[in-house]
Amino acid sequence: MEFKISKESIQILEDLIAEKNNKELLRSLKDVHYADIAEIMNDLSYEQALYIFNLLDSEVTAEILLELDENVREKILKALSPKEIAEELDELDTDDAADIISELPRDKKEEVLSELEDLEHARDIVDLLRYDEDTAGGLMAKEYVSVNENWTVLTCVKEMRKQAENVTRVHSIYVLDDFGKLKGRLSLKDLLTTSTKTNISEVYIPSVDYVKLDTKDVEVARIMQKYDLEAIPVVDEMGRLVGRITIDDIVDVIKEEADKDYQLAAGISKDVEADDGILDLTRARLPWLILAMIGGFIAVNVARSFEDAMLDYGVLFFFTPLIAAMAGNVGVQSSAIIVQGLANNTISGSIWSRLAKEVSLSLLNGFFLAILMMVGSHFLLGVDYIIGITVSISLISVIIIASLIGTFVPILLNKYGIDPALATGPFITTSNDIFGILIYFSIAKYILGF
């Protein structure tokens, strides 16, 4: 039966902890997935979470550590001795163990590493800590299955059995030469259907996608997504196989990148979470709010420069929010599509063809919206046709300009190495508000002659 996390189930566990009924507590958690246990521990008090953690076997708690919220994991790790942490890391793959180690203070890192029983495991973890976390080297694990191209199929099977003991999941079998250079991959089907005396060099597939140690994590994610890979090998500058990256690590990268872009689009300049402190949240939000306020002042001054229109055509000012809103919305739509295309590497053709397409789209949308606006303003608001025509022409112009800005700015930012997600937030909204108001009143002044 599937375990359901609810207030009632958590209350039952809290009661069992209070009663110190370990037998019943273990029975309740016996068939619960470690990710669900981590979610439960995140909802418990620190003392209750630590109680459950100390009660379970290290095979389970090692996986739980990876799923815990960072603040909960930090508290748990502080409560554990270096030897206890080392016991947890012995159960993890090298990439996950390195992630845990990297969160520890420097002095505790050394103590934990010295307590690891498997010296090769410890060396691999230390090696991984040398790489930046946003590169392939920082993502990869040292556990993989590899065979020599000169082995026979029989020798290959024997060696694979030994290696597979240390690998959680075998996604691919990599073929190497005598110097450890990656030559290709081996199909399990070919391995099973080929004579045991056949050399691997005769049956392996030389075509294999790979990344280098310094390849950025987002590029690794793009390659794996494009070619539908469950795992990808990592090679050093000499082409030697040094590790592999699996899809679960890439899912984390994609999620983190999506969260970052979403926050940038909302005008949050730092990576923060809802549970972070007020000062951290303020520092993340305030810069863009200040920018938006400055933009608002500029928009006010633009409108103020046309204050003469208030005397004879005061009705124009009632349409100002509509023009500003449409400019902001169109700009955000255009920039969102471009940012998505840049992220997925699906934008093709020249920038001029892209801008021409946006102009055509804007004209179509603009004419449709202008007709609706002109008819609605006349019959619902009683506005003169001349005013309606003025606002309609302005609306079409504003939509075209806003779409061009929304298209051009992300491409320009991306060209100069700046995250284009910045273009989908207050930056685009504020700039289009200013341009929208300026264009609106300039056109109105030309048509109405105030």
Side-chain angles (χ1 to χ4, degrees):
M1 182 177 177
E2 183 182 359
F3 182 82
K4 299 289 186 182
I5 299 176
S6 62
K7 290 183 179 179
E8 292 76 15
S9 61
I10 291 178
Q11 183 60 55
I12 291 172
L13 295 176
E14 288 178 335
D15 293 340
L16 292 174
I17 293 171
E19 298 167 3
K20 292 185 168 35
N21 190 342
N22 295 348
K23 183 177 180 181
E24 185 62 26
L25 191 57
L26 285 172
R27 190 193 67 79
S28 300
L29 297 174
K30 180 181 178 181
D31 297 321
V32 181
H33 194 276
Y34 60 82
D36 290 326
I37 297 177
E39 186 176 344
I40 291 169
M41 289 173 63
N42 289 335
D43 290 334
L44 296 175
S45 67
Y46 160 67
E47 292 77 13
Q48 292 169 331
L50 184 61
Y51 188 92
I52 289 180
F53 190 88
N54 289 330
L55 192 63
L56 299 173
D57 293 335
S58 57
E59 289 183 6
V60 179
T61 53
E63 299 290 349
I64 290 174
L65 272 177
L66 299 173
E67 302 295 332
L68 288 172
D69 288 345
E70 288 186 14
N71 58 333
V72 178
R73 181 169 59 244
E74 182 181 357
K75 292 178 181 178
I76 296 290
L77 290 173
K78 279 184 179 180
L80 300 178
S81 67
K83 183 174 180 59
E84 289 172 326
I85 296 176
E87 290 173 354
E88 303 294 335
L89 300 187
D90 277 327
E91 302 292 337
L92 295 173
D93 287 342
T94 48
D95 58 335
D96 294 328
D99 289 341
I100 297 295
I101 283 277
S102 65
E103 297 178 11
L104 299 174
R106 178 176 294 181
D107 55 342
K108 200 165 186 178
K109 282 181 186 178
E110 297 174 356
E111 292 181 57
V112 170
L113 288 169
S114 67
E115 293 287 352
L116 289 170
E117 294 182 359
D118 188 335
L119 295 181
E120 184 178 353
H121 191 58
R123 283 195 296 269
D124 287 341
I125 293 172
V126 171
D127 185 45
L128 292 180
L129 291 172
R130 297 189 296 113
Y131 303 109
D132 293 335
E133 61 179 12
D134 62 347
T135 63
L139 282 175
M140 71 179 183
K142 289 287 190 173
E143 293 84 3
Y144 54 82
V145 175
S146 63
V147 299
N148 189 289
E149 64 177 337
N150 299 314
W151 290 350
T152 63
V153 169
L154 181 60
T155 303
C156 175
V157 171
K158 290 180 179 178
E159 292 296 327
M160 284 172 55
R161 285 174 180 168
K162 296 178 184 178
Q163 296 178 38
E165 293 178 2
N166 300 318
V167 181
T168 306
R169 289 184 297 274
V170 180
H171 293 92
S172 299
I173 305 165
Y174 302 115
V175 180
L176 313 179
D177 65 11
D178 292 333
F179 302 100
K181 290 185 178 181
L182 180 64
K183 301 289 290 186
R185 56 191 173 88
L186 185 61
S187 163
L188 186 58
K189 178 182 177 180
D190 292 340
L191 188 66
L192 295 174
T193 58
T194 303
S195 169
T196 56
K197 297 180 180 180
T198 303
N199 279 352
I200 296 300
S201 59
E202 299 178 27
V203 294
Y204 81 85
I205 303 167
S207 174
V208 58
D209 297 298
Y210 63 87
V211 293
K212 295 184 177 180
L213 283 165
D214 58 355
T215 303
K216 289 297 182 181
D217 54 2
V218 291
E219 177 63 14
V220 176
R222 188 191 67 78
I223 293 172
M224 292 186 70
Q225 181 183 30
K226 181 178 181 179
Y227 299 110
D228 293 326
L229 303 176
E230 292 184 353
I232 191 167
V234 183
V235 300
D236 63 12
E237 59 277 2
M238 296 178 64
R240 296 173 300 187
L241 181 64
V242 291
R244 63 157 185 173
I245 299 171
T246 52
I247 190 64
D248 56 317
D249 297 313
I250 290 305
V251 168
D252 292 337
V253 171
I254 294 172
K255 181 179 180 301
E256 289 173 8
E257 192 67 16
D259 289 344
K260 184 181 73 172
D261 287 348
Y262 183 79
Q263 290 187 349
L264 283 174
I268 299 176
S269 55
K270 294 183 179 180
D271 185 15
V272 291
E273 296 181 0
D275 293 332
D276 287 347
I278 293 177
L279 289 179
D280 290 331
L281 292 171
T282 300
R283 282 194 290 265
R285 297 182 185 186
L286 191 57
W288 284 106
L289 293 177
I290 292 174
L291 175 63
M293 187 179 70
I294 293 173
F297 272 119
I298 296 174
V300 168
N301 280 319
V302 169
R304 187 181 178 185
S305 64
F306 295 95
E307 62 182 345
D308 292 344
M310 181 67 76
L311 298 176
D312 298 321
Y313 302 100
V315 69
L316 288 174
F317 285 87
F318 294 123
F319 289 94
T320 303
L322 184 149
I323 294 294
M326 291 305 300
N329 290 334
V330 170
V332 168
Q333 283 184 344
S334 298
S335 60
I337 292 173
I338 296 300
V339 169
Q340 184 183 40
L342 291 170
N344 297 329
N345 202 32
T346 56
I347 291 182
S348 58
S350 68
I351 185 174
W352 301 113
S353 63
R354 175 63 56 179
L355 293 176
K357 182 177 180 180
E358 282 298 318
V359 170
S360 301
L361 180 62
S362 299
L363 280 171
L364 183 61
N365 289 335
F367 275 118
F368 182 75
L369 292 171
I371 291 171
L372 287 178
M373 195 282 307
M374 187 164 58
V375 173
S377 64
H378 179 75
F379 289 102
L380 298 179
L381 303 178
V383 175
D384 291 340
Y385 276 120
I386 187 63
I387 299 294
I389 292 172
T390 299
V391 177
S392 296
I393 293 174
S394 300
L395 183 61
I396 294 172
S397 303
V398 164
I399 287 175
I400 292 174
I401 298 298
S403 65
L404 291 177
I405 293 174
T407 301
F408 183 75
V409 171
I411 294 175
L412 186 65
L413 292 176
N414 185 67
K415 181 179 179 180
Y416 288 98
I418 303 172
D419 195 329
L422 282 171
T424 59
F427 180 81
I428 283 290
T429 305
T430 303
S431 60
N432 278 330
D433 284 350
I434 296 170
F435 281 112
I437 293 173
L438 178 62
I439 292 168
Y440 171 49
F441 282 110
S442 297
I443 291 174
K445 184 175 182 178
Y446 178 79
I447 294 175
L448 301 174
F450 52 81

